[in-house]
C-alpha cells in the first residue's frame, strides 16, 4: 500500500496542481498492483483519492471510530469524507478521536504501519502544533518505509490567518 502525508494548509491552486502530479505518480503504482491508503479528510487526502481513482489505483479510506462504530468527523471534513467513500474500494475503521490532534497523529502512524511506501508533499519545515508532516516523514523512515518527498515548483501554503 501507498499512503500520502502533507501539509494541511496548502492553497487551492497548489492542491489543483498536486492532483495532476499525484495522478502521474500513482499510475506506476496502479500498474504494479498496489493500492492507496488515506485517512478521510479535506484538502490533500481528497486530492490523493481523486488522483488515485484517475490513475486506476484502488483506494482504501480510513474513518475514525469509537467502540467499533464510525464517529463524526469535523464539519469541514464531512463533504470530503463522503467523496472519498464514493471513490474507495474499501473502508477501514480506526479507533481515534478526530478532534484530538495527538490521536490524529497516532492514526496517521497506524496508517503508515500498513504501508510499504509514503508519498510526502513536504517543504522541509519542522512539525508544529498544527502540522505533523515532518514527524510522519521521520516516523516512516525510522520504520523502514520507503519515502518519496516532493515539493513541486510553485507549491504554496496558506498564511497562518488563512489556514485557521
Amino acid at each position: 500500500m501507498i499512503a500520502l502525508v502533507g501539509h494541511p494548509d496548502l492553497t487551492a491552486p497548489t492542491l489543483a496542481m498536486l492532483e495532476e502530479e499525484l495522478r502521474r505518480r500513482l499510475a506506476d503504482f496502479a500498474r504494479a498492483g498496489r493500492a492507496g491508503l488515506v485517512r478521510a479528510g479535506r484538502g490533500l487526502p481528497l486530492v490523493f483519492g481523486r488522483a488515485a481513482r484517475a490513475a486506476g489505483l484502488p483506494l482504501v479510506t480510513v474513518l475514525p471510530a469509537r467502540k467499533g462504530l464510525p464517529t463524526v468527523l469535523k464539519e469541514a471534513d464531512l463533504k470530503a469524507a463522503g467523496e472519498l467513500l464514493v471513490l474507495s474500494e474499501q473502508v477501514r475503521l480506526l479507533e481515534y478521536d478526530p478532534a484530538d490532534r495527538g490521536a490524529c497523529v497516532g492514526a496517521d502512524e497506524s496508517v503508515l504501519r500498513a504501508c510499504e511506501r509514503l508519498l510526502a508533499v513536504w517543504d522541509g519545515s519542522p512539525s508544529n502544533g498544527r502540522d505533523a508532516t515532518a514527524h510522519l516523514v521521520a516516523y516512516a523512515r525510522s520504520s523502514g518505509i520507503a519515502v518519496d518527498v516532493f515539493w513541486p515548483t510553485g507549491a504554496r501554503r496558506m498564511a497562518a490567518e488563512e489556514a485557521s
Side-chain angles (χ1 to χ4, degrees):
M1 290 233 207
I2 297 98
L4 175 80
V5 298
H7 300 295
D9 58 356
L10 299 172
T11 64
T14 297
L15 289 170
M17 173 179 54
L18 285 169
E19 191 168 335
E20 179 60 27
E21 173 74 17
L22 286 168
R23 186 196 58 72
R24 283 193 301 272
R25 288 174 181 262
L26 295 175
D28 290 336
F29 295 115
R31 285 189 286 277
R34 303 289 198 287
L37 182 62
V38 66
R39 187 168 57 85
R42 68 187 179 281
L44 202 50
L46 181 56
V47 167
F48 179 76
R50 289 173 178 165
R53 181 65 171 237
L57 183 77
L59 182 65
V60 178
T61 296
V62 174
L63 289 177
R66 287 194 187 142
K67 298 180 183 176
L69 298 172
T71 190
V72 178
L73 289 164
K74 295 177 189 174
E75 181 72 30
D77 290 321
L78 288 175
K79 184 176 178 184
E83 185 175 340
L84 281 165
L85 293 176
V86 170
L87 295 171
S88 295
E89 290 193 8
Q90 184 181 26
V91 176
R92 294 185 182 171
L93 297 178
L94 182 62
E95 295 282 330
Y96 75 97
D97 179 357
D100 179 326
R101 180 190 182 276
C104 290
V105 172
D108 286 334
E109 290 173 353
S110 178
V111 165
L112 292 179
R113 286 192 294 273
C115 293
E116 62 193 46
R117 181 167 296 276
L118 173 67
L119 300 178
V121 180
W122 182 39
D123 65 1
S125 62
S127 291
N128 60 32
R130 294 196 61 219
D131 184 351
T133 305
H135 166 79
L136 293 169
V137 168
Y139 178 86
R141 287 176 173 157
S142 70
S143 300
I145 299 165
V147 178
D148 297 329
V149 174
F150 65 103
W151 185 252
T153 302
R156 299 280 181 267
R157 296 173 69 183
M158 290 182 250
E161 58 276 2
E162 293 176 285
S164 298

